[in-house]
Amino acid sequence: MTKRAPTFDPTRRYTAEARRSGGWWALSVPELLGVHSQVRRLEQGEVMIRDAISLAFDIPAFDVKVCGPIPIVSPAVDELM
């Protein structure tokens, strides 16, 4: 069984997740397979993931609604925090 390619829904707000990877934050949108980006600082994440969705679906960036990025940390790091 093959997976269907994700489609963009302009009425939906997508959630971006951020995971630490060395000196970078790796960004992804679980609802949209294949949409990824990276940033040095989390405050750059919303703009970058909006641009990644825009490029993936060939739509204007201002049509994309994003929540986050939400930092996802490992349980060990979570305990330290």
Side-chain angles (χ1 to χ4, degrees):
M1 179 181 246
T2 60
K3 287 187 176 184
R4 276 183 56 197
T7 57
F8 177 76
D9 178 358
T11 63
R12 184 171 181 181
R13 181 175 298 274
Y14 292 95
T15 302
E17 294 181 349
R19 288 182 171 77
R20 198 71 177 155
S21 179
W24 294 85
W25 286 95
L27 307 175
S28 63
V29 180
E31 302 97 340
L32 300 173
L33 298 176
V35 175
H36 305 283
S37 190
Q38 65 181 14
V39 293
R40 286 273 188 191
R41 298 188 333 255
L42 272 181
E43 58 265 13
Q44 301 166 322
E46 184 179 344
V47 171
M48 292 303 288
I49 205 69
R50 184 177 287 134
D51 284 348
I53 294 170
S54 167
L55 289 169
F57 293 97
D58 195 27
I59 55 171
F62 59 80
D63 284 345
V64 179
K65 298 179 193 105
V66 176
C67 176
I70 298 170
I72 308 294
V73 294
S74 70
V77 172
D78 200 26
E79 263 185 51
L80 293 173
M81 295 171 77

